[in-house]
Amino acid sequence: MAPRIRAPRSLRDRAGIWLGDYAYALQAERRSVRSRPDPVPFEKGSERAVLLVPGVYERWEYLLPVAQALNERGHPCFIVPALQRNSIPIPEAARLAGAVLRERDLSDVVIVAHSKGGLIGKHVLAFDDPDGRVAGVVAIASPFQGSSLSRLPLTKPLREFAPGRGSIATLAAEKVINEHIVSIYPYYDTHIPSGSELAGATNIALPLTGHFRVLAEPLVIAETVRAVAALPPRQAAELP
């Protein structure tokens, strides 16, 4: 049984989690600005291909620890260059991801995504993959039910996560494809108070905290690698 989502008791504990989380985000920003890794070497490999989709305001380098582990095990990893910092609406981002699948002629692909990227991956499964190129989605800390923090006076891209509205509502109605999604998440997420459990999906709740820094956690990386290899191909009758 998945652990119940709950906030740490003390303000000090919560503040410590936030600080550790943003320390990882700052490290990822430095990677993307100062010594940005070249994604091309990650495209080599003989195992199932992976398409990396980061979260809102993130570049693909946030997923670098996951990409390195997957590539070391033979999985070629591709990115969506036009996504940039992923500040465009989910449907537009999903169309960009679908275009990469076709342009690179990828098949039997697993989308490995963080946060908003998981919503983009589900949108691809539901609406943007008529050729059945995607086997499934492995989502890490994704707000499938939205986030109550979106009610705050935030930027437009962050307000897209309002529970029960817009893309969140549209994707929630697409229940059948949830069986092709693996949702991996910490028991306490600083940005998704209600958690990332998705009905009908394979839900993997881990004894971790945070939102960004979980991308470098060995537990998350191990479960992601396992899920990428284990997801079965989609059948023709299941395609959109």
Side-chain angles (χ1 to χ4, degrees):
M1 180 180 296
R4 182 171 61 88
I5 303 297
R6 64 188 186 280
R9 292 183 178 181
S10 72
L11 179 62
R12 180 177 180 179
D13 287 344
R14 293 196 295 272
I17 293 170
W18 276 88
L19 288 173
D21 218 22
Y22 277 93
Y24 177 84
L26 180 60
Q27 182 184 34
E29 287 295 326
R30 287 174 176 168
R31 280 198 298 262
S32 66
V33 174
R34 293 184 180 178
S35 56
R36 191 169 187 185
D38 180 3
V40 174
F42 291 98
E43 297 177 0
K44 298 178 181 179
S46 58
E47 300 298 321
R48 170 181 264 171
V50 167
L51 184 66
L52 303 169
V53 183
V56 64
Y57 293 137
E58 298 175 10
R59 293 189 183 274
W60 77 271
E61 286 89 351
Y62 276 68
L63 284 157
L64 186 61
V66 177
Q68 288 173 326
L70 286 165
N71 194 242
E72 286 171 1
R73 288 160 179 81
H75 295 283
C77 297
F78 299 84
I79 68 170
V80 185
L83 204 55
Q84 299 292 320
R85 284 193 173 275
N86 200 1
S87 61
I88 61 177
I90 290 166
E92 293 180 28
R95 284 192 287 273
L96 292 176
V100 169
L101 295 174
R102 293 186 295 275
E103 291 165 4
R104 303 303 299 268
D105 194 23
L106 302 177
S107 61
D108 191 35
V109 178
V110 173
I111 295 176
V112 172
H114 177 236
S115 195
K116 176 186 175 181
L119 303 176
I120 295 169
K122 182 174 179 179
H123 199 287
V124 172
L125 277 176
F127 306 113
D128 307 285
D129 185 28
D131 302 323
R133 295 176 181 273
V134 178
V137 176
V138 178
I140 303 168
S142 290
F144 288 109
Q145 313 306 323
S147 173
S148 59
L149 298 183
S150 66
R151 299 189 181 100
L152 301 174
L154 303 173
T155 61
K156 185 176 180 180
L158 295 176
R159 292 198 299 271
E160 192 175 18
F161 307 128
R165 297 172 58 186
S167 292
I168 296 295
T170 299
L171 291 172
E174 299 294 323
K175 301 180 186 299
V176 175
I177 59 173
N178 289 353
E179 65 184 66
H180 301 289
I181 298 174
V182 178
S183 182
I184 301 171
Y185 53 93
Y187 82 87
Y188 172 66
D189 189 319
T190 48
H191 288 63
I192 313 174
S194 57
S196 300
E197 185 173 351
L198 179 63
T202 299
N203 292 288
I204 303 174
L206 298 175
L208 302 169
T209 59
H211 183 71
F212 302 111
R213 65 180 179 177
V214 295
L215 292 169
E217 288 284 353
L219 272 176
V220 170
I221 293 171
E223 291 293 349
T224 301
V225 171
R226 187 176 298 115
V228 166
L231 272 167
R234 293 167 71 194
Q235 303 300 316
E238 301 171 326
L239 302 180

